Amino acid sequence: MEMNESVPLAPYTTFKIGGPARYFCDIHSLNEIKEAVAFAREKHLPTFILGGGSNVLISDSGFDGVVLHIVLSGIEWEEEGDTIFATAGAGVVWDELVRESVERGYWGLENLSHIPGSVGASAVQNIGCYGVEACEAIEWVEEYDTENDLVRRVFPHDCAFGYRDSVWKHDRKGVRVITRVRFRLAKNGSPKTDYKDLREYFSDKTIIHPTQQEVRDALFTIRSQKLPDLARYGTAGSFFKNPVVTTEEAVQFLKRFPEALHFSSGGNEIKLSAPWIIDHVLNLRGIRKGNVGTWGKQALVLVNYGGASAEEIKTLAHEIQFRAHELTNIALSPEVVFIGSES
Ligand SMILES: Cc1cc2nc3c(=O)[nH]c(=O)nc-3n(C[C@H](O)[C@H](O)[C@H](O)COP(=O)(O)OP(=O)(O)OC[C@H]3O[C@@H](n4cnc5c(N)ncnc54)[C@H](O)[C@@H]3O)c2cc1C
């Protein structure tokens, strides 16, 4: 394991923001995790697990500890009748796994095409879009418990998967390092195109039964129309989660904003649309303040237009949260993870 000192973190994030890590190492194996954790313990420093850096905002002063940059690689494919198991290293680029599964003609991950980040974080975040969440395909997650020096497989019933949520965001966060994830895919399947954007895309093209590759191509078009180009702008995608409220809270909210977008979230819960609130109530879609702003085609996306600091992003995020609460009584919580001392 090669431990480096004072490594700038901005290039390792899609926000392109963040000061240096006091120590930084690439993790290629379980042994390297053990070595890095032992190093941090010896120096009495905290650790941070970094994947593709597409869901983090790192403070301007950086991280005063040891960053474990997970690059655990490799995908194994196994066939059992109609079922295909893909077991991928936590550092595999998520969209490489999706691309390969689609090219091999397997069903299950195509709706999750073009999401940045790593396989490990796909389980942490339970990534989702266009009607599908990663947890629907996860067979098990392998983790290394750094406190108890144990490798174990965690099955979905113990993963506490929820909307952009899992056990790795709560239970001894940062202590459990995901090393591999196994996905269950199918040789035979059918497209999931119920989600509005996909339905509209295919009805325009009069495609009734799209292939996995056609779904993937559709998502490339749909996503590039809505999201900033990462080669030009810094962003971590949706900055806030859609607020999930009780039916009673939703009724109060909808009395005041009858035209607001909302969706059933199961049970006694309703999911409100954070971008709708930011756009229609706060009137903050497409605004720019200095080097930061909200994206004109998707108000939930905060953007670094170039040279922005973490403080500028946080100030804008706080203003959005404050105004949302003031005007709607709804609390917006960040989807993005804050790292570093002044966060
Ligand atoms: C343009 C853009 C579009 C996006 N679109 C979507 C979308 O459609 N749907 C969606 O759900 N998300 C989306 N995202 C958010 C992001 O891509 C996902 O959250 C992704 O899973 C983050 O992966 P990462 O490897 O970059 O994680 P990082 O940002 O590196 O880390 C995120 C969190 O996971 C933890 N973590 C990372 N790897 C491990 C590991 N191996 N073990 C334990 N903990 C770990 C980190 O400590 C951190 O807390 C988008 C982001 C961008 C920039």
Side-chain angles (χ1 to χ4, degrees), residues 179-252:
T179 47
R180 291 194 301 166
V181 185
R182 185 169 170 93
F183 299 88
R184 173 192 283 264
L185 312 175
K187 273 203 262 179
N188 296 302
S190 49
K192 291 184 181 162
T193 53
D194 299 344
Y195 205 89
K196 185 172 159 280
D197 293 353
L198 275 173
R199 209 174 49 230
E200 284 172 7
Y201 179 94
F202 286 116
S203 65
D204 280 359
K205 302 209 161 14
T206 60
I207 298 175
I208 292 158
H209 195 89
T211 62
Q212 301 91 317
Q213 187 62 54
E214 283 170 332
V215 173
R216 184 167 161 78
D217 293 345
L219 287 169
F220 181 78
T221 305
I222 295 167
R223 291 178 69 95
S224 17
Q225 281 164 0
K226 281 195 172 171
L227 293 167
D229 176 2
L230 284 178
R232 290 188 63 193
Y233 303 102
T235 182
S238 301
F239 197 89
F240 300 103
K241 293 190 197 181
N242 285 316
V244 178
V245 298
T246 62
T247 314
E248 294 73 30
E249 287 166 327
V251 167
Q252 293 307 317

Side-chain angles (χ1 to χ4, degrees), residues 38-82:
F39 177 92
R41 278 198 192 127
E42 200 186 291
K43 297 211 172 304
H44 304 286
L45 288 172
T47 54
F48 177 68
I49 308 160
L50 181 67
S54 62
N55 208 37
V56 290
L57 178 63
I58 295 175
S59 80
D60 299 316
S61 61
F63 180 67
D64 189 18
V66 182
V67 171
L68 280 67
H69 181 223
I70 307 295
V71 290
L72 296 160
S73 61
I75 309 176
E76 283 166 34
W77 301 91
E78 290 160 62
E79 197 174 321
E80 274 181 30
D82 180 46

